[in-house]
Amino acid sequence: MDLTSISLTLTGLLIVFLGGAVWIGISLFLIGAGGFLIFTDLPFGTIMANIAWNNTSGSAMMALPFFVWMGEILFRSRISSNLFSGLAPWMDAIPGRLLHVNILACTFFAAVSGSSAATTATVGKITVPELNKRGYNRMLAMGSLAGSGTLGFMIPPSMMMLVYGIIGDVSIGKLFIAGFIPGFMIAGLFSGYVFLVCLVNPRLAPRGEDRYTWNQRLRAIPQILPVAVLILVVLGSIYAGWATPTEAGAVGVAGSIVFALATRSFSRQALRESLFGGIKTSSMIMLIVMGAAYLSVVVGYLGITRKLTTAVTEMGLSPYMLIVILSLLYILLGCLIDGFSMIVMTTPIVLPMVEIAGFDPVWFGIYLVLMIELAQITPPVGFNLFVISGLNNDDILHIAKAALPFFSLMCAVVIIITVWPRLVLYLPGLMRGQ
Amino acid sequence: MKAVIRVVNAFSGLGGWLAVIMICLALGLALSEILSRSLFNKTLYITEEYSGYLMCTLTFSSLAYTLRERGHIRMVFVLRALSARARHFLNLACHTVGFVFGIGFTVFCFLFFWDSVVSGSQSMQVSETFLAIPQAFMPLGALMLTLQFLGEVFKDILVIRGDTAGLTLTEEADDLGR
């Protein structure tokens, strides 16, 4: 059988398994095993066990449960609601007012949590009722939350970057630091957009009865401090080269527990729930990682990656054209599958192509995370849409429509970082200890 | 069938607790390494190696628990478009596929572990740990996953029969860390 037929057979089987609601990790394992059995004479079982061991026994992987656990602790403690109280007085005088809190709180929370859905849920559970109560424009409130929630993946620590770093063998520390500028750029663009539309139409964000003095604003700062300190310690230690991402994750967990206890919002039950939530998410990701690693071995062994890379090279596409095609492909994929699956299924095939086209693997990681952020707010599988729908019972398509301007702004950031890749690569270049 | 489901659920719950112990041990180890390095300028030497073993143990121990709690992701749009009865049958088919996969996974993980036992493989690090010790959790975790799939198959059969008294039916999780 020729390589094209083999590729089409494997892809067809994958679609059948995934569409048939078989778990993603198990589907990947089964297709990999099928590929080995049908098209090679290699011992597929021995390779399966070896891959499972090699992909779970690396110390870098331990960062994953740590960062997930840290986010779970913050989600369950009062630290997140204090963030709203600390930021709200500062935004009161700006057109857009509390809508900026949606964006800023997501930015802050994203810097201590690696998850987009956790960021959206944590910030949304506080801001959605407040904004509804104060008569803010519902579309703008939902859209800004949906868009800003995706920053959970871009601003480090990020579970997506961790998984990409491990699958693509790219420095996780560099990926984390590279996410800063694009992340803040997105937050800045979102805030700028909210500022402009509310300046033109102030009724979108009406001024409430609350009036804050400078004294109140200054007194609100301590409420933001726990998150700010965690950001500094966790990310500062990676940036300065004092700690590996795993150690930084451990410090983040310890710090979150200390702050949660200090705010008297961390019960034994919250500790138990955060632990089980952490292991559940980690286990879910690890099954996919193992399955994808197994499938990528058979894909590599059969020469599919090499053939695809050669074919794309022979097409003589310019690097920009390649990114345009990949972007369309990822946006389409994002409508159908979740972010983790997008990373693990495409990285082994696409990364060699983009490297040949002259793109840096760290840059590509950030680009890929941006594509996944877009997927978070595209129906029908946009998880942020589900989270917001759970918060205010709105229709998924209605929320997706509200998020459309923010989707467009993120597309603009994709263009900006493609034209000026240095925006992504500048900070990693300054890192020590890498 | 219900007795089997209860035993399997309890077994997976134990796996969850085992994973919790592992993550706490890993946290303790990483913090000890940081303290030892910062305060005494010394390293524990085994932190990286043992973090890896703990991660492997954590992953395998929690696979069955995560399945029990509907934590593993799958594409559910086809499933949701079906009628309730068709959905139960598709779930039964999926759990059967999972069970068959689990049997193979357990066998291969066991052979991998047993190979380490027979050859007496040791790590190349300073600790010279017998690799069979952390690897023992691979067939154990895979077996727990297989049994949980079997429990889910039994659960689906009972649901199709309409005999759900005393069963806890968990919904698919929508927002797991994504």
Side-chain angles (χ1 to χ4, degrees):
Chain A
M1 200 185 263
D2 67 293
L3 215 48
T4 313
S5 309
I6 293 174
S7 310
L8 289 174
T9 310
L10 292 181
T11 311
L13 282 173
L14 192 60
I15 292 169
V16 169
F17 275 103
L18 291 180
V22 176
W23 295 265
I24 294 167
I26 291 176
S27 298
L28 297 169
F29 263 122
L30 289 173
I31 305 305
F36 274 118
L37 259 175
I38 302 166
F39 305 116
T40 77
D41 49 5
L42 294 172
F44 72 99
T46 313
I47 297 174
M48 184 188 280
N50 264 296
I51 296 273
W53 167 252
N54 291 338
N55 280 276
T56 53
S57 59
S59 65
M61 269 297 182
M62 200 69 219
L64 183 72
F66 283 158
F67 283 122
V68 178
W69 186 14
M70 179 179 161
E72 291 276 346
I73 294 166
L74 295 172
F75 176 69
R76 286 174 170 80
S77 69
R78 207 182 294 145
I79 298 173
S80 46
S81 53
N82 286 353
L83 195 58
F84 178 84
S85 320
L87 290 171
W90 290 92
M91 300 299 130
D92 186 56
I94 308 169
R97 301 176 211 292
L98 293 185
L99 290 173
H100 295 288
V101 177
N102 253 354
I103 300 162
L104 261 182
C106 282
T107 310
F108 269 84
F109 196 78
V112 283
S113 152
S115 153
S116 164
T119 303
T120 312
T122 309
V123 175
K125 77 178 175 187
I126 305 154
T127 59
V128 165
E130 279 293 327
L131 296 176
N132 285 344
K133 196 171 76 188
R134 293 170 194 231
Y136 277 62
N137 179 275
R138 205 172 164 84
M139 291 290 272
L140 201 52
M142 283 192 301
S144 60
L145 178 62
S148 313
T150 67
L151 288 170
F153 286 151
M154 179 54 78
I155 296 181
S158 156
M159 289 198 286
M160 292 295 165
M161 290 182 194
L162 262 168
V163 173
Y164 169 78
I166 288 158
I167 298 267
D169 197 21
V170 181
S171 158
I172 294 164
K174 281 190 178 179
L175 282 167
F176 276 7
I177 301 307
F180 265 118
I181 293 179
F184 287 124
M185 197 194 299
I186 294 170
L189 280 174
F190 285 176
S191 260
Y193 171 75
V194 167
F195 179 90
L196 282 177
V197 292
C198 293
L199 193 68
V200 174
N201 183 1
R203 279 179 302 173
L204 294 174
R207 181 177 261 279
E209 286 166 11
D210 297 338
R211 295 284 185 278
Y212 295 100
T213 62
W214 275 100
N215 189 23
Q216 284 171 310
R217 284 181 187 132
L218 291 173
R219 279 189 6 218
I221 288 178
Q223 308 212 53
I224 313 169
L225 274 182
V227 173
V229 170
L230 278 176
I231 296 170
L232 270 179
V233 172
V234 172
L235 300 179
S237 60
I238 298 174
Y239 183 76
W242 295 330
T244 62
T246 308
E247 288 168 348
V251 171
V253 170
S256 312
I257 293 175
V258 168
F259 283 128
L261 287 173
T263 53
R264 292 181 188 167
S265 56
F266 202 53
S267 60
R268 198 174 287 180
Q269 194 195 347
L271 173 66
R272 189 174 176 278
E273 286 173 0
S274 69
L275 273 164
F276 279 98
I279 60 155
K280 214 158 65 178
T281 306
S282 306
S283 169
M284 173 269 285
I285 298 169
M286 291 308 294
L287 183 65
I288 299 176
V289 167
M290 284 190 278
Y294 186 57
L295 181 60
S296 72
V297 169
V298 73
V299 166
Y301 183 81
L302 291 170
I304 296 172
T305 316
R306 198 175 50 244
K307 173 112 192 242
L308 260 174
T309 311
T310 313
V312 171
T313 314
E314 280 170 359
M315 282 163 80
L317 293 174
S318 72
Y320 290 139
M321 201 57 208
L322 177 66
I323 292 299
V324 170
I325 293 171
L326 283 178
S327 301
L328 293 174
L329 181 79
Y330 277 123
I331 288 173
L332 182 71
L333 267 181
C335 294
L336 303 172
I337 58 175
D338 70 288
F340 288 114
S341 311
M342 276 169 73
I343 290 184
V344 297
M345 284 184 205
T346 62
T347 301
I349 295 169
V350 177
L351 186 57
M353 274 188 226
V354 294
E355 280 188 292
I356 286 176
F359 291 101
D360 189 284
V362 172
W363 177 90
F364 181 67
I366 299 302
Y367 160 84
L368 192 51
V369 171
L370 255 168
M371 286 294 132
I372 290 161
E373 285 191 70
L374 292 174
Q376 290 294 108
I377 48 174
T378 45
V381 195
F383 287 110
N384 276 21
L385 305 178
F386 288 124
V387 173
I388 298 174
S389 173
L391 289 170
N392 63 2
N393 293 320
D394 257 299
D395 177 56
I396 299 277
L397 287 177
H398 190 61
I399 303 167
K401 202 173 144 194
L404 201 58
F406 299 90
F407 179 92
S408 313
L409 289 171
M410 280 197 269
C411 289
V413 174
V414 174
I415 296 169
I416 292 169
I417 65 158
T418 307
V419 177
W420 292 287
R422 191 144 172 76
L423 285 170
V424 173
L425 300 172
Y426 176 69
L427 285 181
L430 296 179
M431 275 174 79
R432 272 175 259 163
Q434 292 292 317
Chain B
M1 268 192 210
K2 285 182 183 171
V4 173
I5 293 170
R6 268 194 294 274
V7 170
V8 163
N9 279 348
F11 198 40
S12 299
L14 281 178
W17 275 108
L18 190 60
V20 162
I21 294 169
M22 295 304 157
I23 197 174
C24 291
L25 284 176
L27 178 69
L29 187 63
L31 293 176
S32 306
E33 169 70 32
I34 295 165
L35 285 177
S36 158
R37 217 169 48 211
S38 324
L39 300 179
F40 310 111
N41 207 20
K42 283 184 177 164
T43 173
L44 300 178
Y45 293 107
I46 55 152
T47 310
E48 284 226 351
E49 182 192 356
Y50 276 72
S51 293
Y53 300 155
L54 288 168
M55 182 65 199
C56 177
T57 314
L58 184 160
T59 302
F60 276 88
S61 312
S62 56
L63 286 175
Y65 169 78
T66 306
L67 178 68
R68 191 189 83 177
E69 298 296 312
R70 299 286 180 272
H72 290 300
I73 334 178
R74 53 180 177 160
M75 300 294 123
V76 287
F77 41 82
V78 171
L79 201 71
R80 284 188 177 149
L82 297 173
S83 67
R85 192 164 171 75
R87 195 159 54 231
H88 296 321
F89 276 103
L90 182 58
N91 264 331
L92 177 62
C94 289
H95 285 126
T96 309
V97 167
F99 177 60
V100 173
F101 161 77
I103 293 172
F105 195 44
T106 307
V107 170
F108 297 131
C109 285
F110 180 79
L111 292 174
F112 180 73
F113 152 74
W114 194 245
D115 194 38
S116 292
V117 173
V118 172
S119 64
S121 318
Q122 287 173 272
S123 74
M124 310 280 269
Q125 311 292 322
V126 70
S127 72
E128 295 187 342
T129 305
F130 280 101
L131 291 176
I133 299 169
Q135 285 170 0
F137 288 89
M138 291 173 68
L140 180 70
L143 178 66
M144 286 197 285
L145 179 70
T146 311
L147 290 177
Q148 188 61 46
F149 270 121
L150 181 67
E152 297 299 327
V153 168
F154 284 174
K155 222 183 268 184
D156 291 328
I157 293 171
L158 290 174
V159 169
I160 290 168
R161 279 189 196 164
D163 180 15
T164 53
L167 279 184
T168 312
L169 302 172
T170 317
E171 284 292 312
E172 213 75 31
D174 253 344
D175 59 345
L176 271 170
R178 289 170 244 159

